[in-house]
Amino acid sequence: QEKVQQSPESLIVPEGAMVSLNCSFSDSASQSIWWYQQHPGKGPKALISIFSNGNKKEGRLTVYLNRASLHVSLHIKDSQPSDSAVYLCAVSMVLQQGTGSKLSFGKGAKLTVSP
Amino acid sequence: GGIITQTPKFLIGQEGQKLTLKCQQNFNHDTMYWYRQDSGKGLRLIYYSITENDLQKGDLSEGYDASREKKSSFSLTVTSAQKNEMAVFLCASSIQGGERLFFGHGTKLSVL
């Protein structure tokens, strides 16, 4: 079973700061790695994904993947109070029956952006 | 866009009781999932279904049953609620083989 570890567990930053979240996974045969955002009382919402080594940028978000070290990171530029949420790292694995993919989630990182 | 509706939002049960959670989606997605979220733990997959009347066990299926009678709906039954159990159950859907999941807002379960 895929193991997904996230760090830090929580962080508090001032508005405008750069935020960095880390995630390590155990299986190099994994497919894409996803980052989800979850606000209190809501379901997780997909933010960004990456499959190939390197980086991918979408707006204020940049994700870096290093498959050799089994590590992925999410960086949020110019953080806003509305970014305050739990961020979940999820690793996709192909199901044995070939029926699709299964996501294994980390425990999450709670981000608080103070005005 | 579409939406996933989970009912009820809050569910309070008694120890040993059978409890049913429901989920409806209007994305016309083939695959639907049930995840359990406990404080301090990652989301854990209970059951998933790749099409109507299909059921596949996840990592945490013991103690649960599921039903997919229509493409748009997926229900989960807690067969015997455990005392002091407290968790959020999240329903999700995706296109077949898709990695991007769309989640509902969850059902919060408390067992007295």
Side-chain angles (χ1 to χ4, degrees):
Chain A
Q1 185 175 344
E2 179 73 56
K3 290 185 178 179
V4 182
Q5 305 276 358
Q6 290 188 240
S7 65
E9 292 183 4
S10 65
L11 70 165
I12 302 173
V13 302
E15 183 175 353
M18 170 74 86
V19 173
S20 296
L21 304 175
N22 298 297
C23 176
S24 61
F25 51 98
S26 59
D27 193 335
S28 59
S30 60
Q31 302 295 298
S32 299
I33 289 82
W34 289 79
W35 286 94
Y36 282 75
Q37 179 192 58
Q38 185 176 23
H39 285 107
K42 307 291 186 184
K45 175 184 173 184
L47 286 179
I48 190 169
S49 68
I50 189 165
F51 178 80
S52 301
N53 265 335
N55 65 75
K56 179 179 178 181
K57 184 178 179 182
E58 290 185 359
R60 295 187 293 115
L61 304 178
T62 303
V63 59
Y64 294 89
L65 173 61
N66 184 327
R67 286 196 180 274
S69 62
L70 302 177
H71 183 266
V72 62
S73 60
L74 173 68
H75 303 267
I76 305 173
K77 181 182 175 183
D78 187 24
S79 57
Q80 302 297 310
S82 58
D83 294 329
S84 298
V86 172
Y87 290 79
L88 301 167
C89 177
V91 178
S92 177
M93 299 292 293
V94 175
L95 292 166
Q96 289 182 351
Q97 300 89 340
T99 53
S101 303
K102 166 189 163 181
L103 288 181
S104 294
F105 285 83
K107 295 180 181 181
K110 183 177 180 180
L111 170 65
T112 302
V113 181
S114 58
Chain B
I3 191 169
I4 294 185
T5 303
Q6 291 188 238
T7 55
K9 289 185 178 180
F10 301 96
L11 183 57
I12 299 175
Q14 301 290 328
E15 183 181 12
Q17 193 176 3
K18 180 184 285 189
L19 303 167
T20 299
L21 292 67
K22 295 185 181 295
C23 176
Q24 295 267 350
Q25 56 99 357
N26 63 1
F27 287 100
N28 199 34
H29 284 163
D30 295 299
T31 307
M32 296 186 74
Y33 310 80
W34 277 106
Y35 280 89
R36 174 178 169 133
Q37 186 172 34
D38 292 271
S39 178
K41 296 184 180 179
L43 275 69
R44 291 178 289 174
L45 182 63
I46 305 172
Y47 267 97
Y48 67 97
S49 167
I50 63 171
T51 189
E52 185 178 324
N53 293 319
D54 174 76
L55 293 175
Q56 306 286 340
K57 293 183 178 181
D59 304 316
L60 200 69
S61 60
E62 189 171 337
Y64 302 94
D65 286 328
S67 174
R68 183 97 182 269
E69 294 178 351
K70 295 191 302 182
K71 184 177 182 179
S72 62
S73 66
F74 194 28
S75 62
L76 180 73
T77 298
V78 180
T79 56
S80 180
Q82 300 299 304
K83 187 173 176 64
N84 296 324
E85 182 176 7
M86 185 178 295
V88 175
F89 291 84
L90 292 163
C91 177
S93 70
S94 72
I95 61 171
Q96 190 172 42
E99 298 176 335
R100 179 176 183 173
L101 270 58
F102 293 82
F103 283 88
H105 290 333
T107 292
K108 188 170 184 178
L109 171 67
S110 298
V111 181
L112 304 177

